[in-house]
Amino acid sequence: MSHLEVQHINKSFGENTVLHDVSFSVKEAEFVALLGPSGSGKSTLFRIIGGISHPSSGSVNLNGENINGKRGSISYTPQSSSLMPWRTILDNVLLGQEITGNRDVEKALQMIERAGLKGFEQSYPHELSGGMQQRASFIRSILSPQSLIILDEPFSALDEFTRLDMQKWLLSIWSEYKRSILFVTHNIEEAIFLADRIIVLSSRPASVKKEFTIPFARPRDEAILLSDSFLRLKKRIYQEMRGNNGE
């Protein structure tokens, strides 16, 4: 079970206000995308949700419990794969379970095979492509005990076709395991294709400018990327984000 409530978060560093009255939710088994311009304070927001940083005011609640300043409540996957270079892929995938003392090697091996990484269990991260490393990172998140996963632009370094393959793979795994996901991206198309809802942040100081509910049924096929309804929604979100920059 996982229900995240971000309530009236403000964050300032001296005279510099980064976040202003940010409120949104991620419901049980919901896939929410967060869109915002560069420098809008998304990383600061993540540090607050992850308990690494304290808000100046406001609260972060997970399943009704205030987790301000509490680390380990969520699983966070950054832009780079963050795999430990001295650990094999299998040992990297099991890291989250190791911390809780509950290694499930059989399930990890099943997930590695499902990710197309069979035969690489004893390989090291530098022996894998970027896309393969990101799959291993996501498997680690799925196998970790936390019920909420934050993915911070995990596919930004991949080429367009690899990125689409990874998006489809991510949706197939998420549809099976139904974890709550907060997915950050600058890519409007990616956000629409993946998410149930999109939250658009304003430029700094960041606040929630707009929410969009995605009307497309699941499972989603890449054919919708070229549909008129998809392109109309993409245009609406694009115009909203252009407004962020005062253009």
Side-chain angles (χ1 to χ4, degrees):
M1 175 184 173
S2 178
H3 187 138
L4 177 74
E5 291 281 351
V6 175
Q7 298 178 325
H8 307 294
I9 292 292
N10 293 281
K11 182 66 176 180
S12 297
F13 297 95
E15 297 296 312
N16 181 23
T17 301
V18 179
L19 304 172
H20 174 68
D21 198 27
V22 175
S23 296
F24 64 89
S25 65
V26 181
K27 301 182 183 71
E28 170 73 14
E30 189 179 27
F31 200 126
V32 174
L34 196 66
L35 276 172
S38 295
S40 62
K42 295 188 295 294
S43 60
T44 300
L45 180 60
F46 285 164
R47 290 173 67 84
I48 290 171
I49 295 173
I52 298 166
S53 176
H54 283 266
S56 300
S57 62
S59 64
V60 179
N61 298 307
L62 186 63
N63 304 326
E65 177 190 354
N66 186 309
I67 59 169
N68 284 19
K70 286 187 66 175
R71 302 189 184 202
S73 300
I74 63 158
S75 176
Y76 175 67
T77 300
Q79 293 180 30
S80 57
S81 69
S82 72
L83 298 174
M84 293 182 174
W86 59 88
R87 294 178 69 111
T88 65
I89 297 307
L90 177 59
D91 285 341
N92 264 291
V93 162
L94 287 167
L95 184 60
Q97 292 187 338
E98 267 179 34
I99 294 169
T100 60
N102 183 29
R103 281 169 59 102
D104 188 341
V105 175
E106 185 175 344
K107 186 174 183 181
L109 290 172
Q110 289 172 356
M111 289 290 290
I112 286 171
E113 182 172 0
R114 177 82 188 275
L117 300 177
K118 186 176 175 61
F120 292 93
E121 298 87 350
Q122 301 305 319
S123 299
Y124 291 90
H126 73 272
E127 299 177 279
L128 274 64
S129 69
M132 294 165 80
Q133 289 181 32
Q134 285 297 60
R135 286 184 216 175
S137 288
F138 185 65
I139 292 169
R140 182 176 61 192
S141 294
I142 285 283
L143 292 173
S144 294
Q146 297 92 341
S147 55
L148 173 71
I149 300 171
I150 292 182
L151 301 174
D152 185 3
E153 299 192 68
F155 308 145
S156 60
L158 305 178
D159 66 75
E160 186 175 350
F161 294 108
T162 305
R163 187 171 183 146
L164 181 58
D165 286 341
M166 287 296 296
Q167 290 166 4
K168 292 190 290 186
W169 177 82
L170 173 60
L171 285 180
S172 71
I173 297 295
W174 173 77
S175 66
E176 181 176 341
Y177 288 89
K178 288 293 185 182
R179 306 292 283 277
S180 300
I181 290 180
L182 181 59
F183 187 100
V184 181
T185 177
H186 285 100
N187 189 306
I188 298 171
E189 196 170 272
E190 179 170 71
I192 299 172
F193 185 62
L194 293 174
D196 297 310
R197 276 189 301 130
I198 293 175
I199 296 164
V200 178
L201 291 180
S202 70
S203 53
R204 187 178 291 199
S207 59
V208 175
K209 193 175 186 204
K210 189 95 171 177
E211 283 196 19
F212 293 88
T213 299
I214 307 304
F216 306 116
R218 297 188 187 276
R220 291 182 187 158
D221 185 89
E222 63 187 278
I224 69 167
L225 295 171
L226 298 176
S227 68
D228 288 342
S229 54
F230 189 98
L231 295 173
R232 280 195 300 270
L233 180 56
K234 181 180 177 181
K235 182 178 180 181
R236 283 176 59 205
I237 297 172
Y238 174 75
Q239 290 171 337
E240 193 70 49
M241 292 192 69
R242 273 180 69 91
N244 281 333
N245 298 321
E247 296 175 8

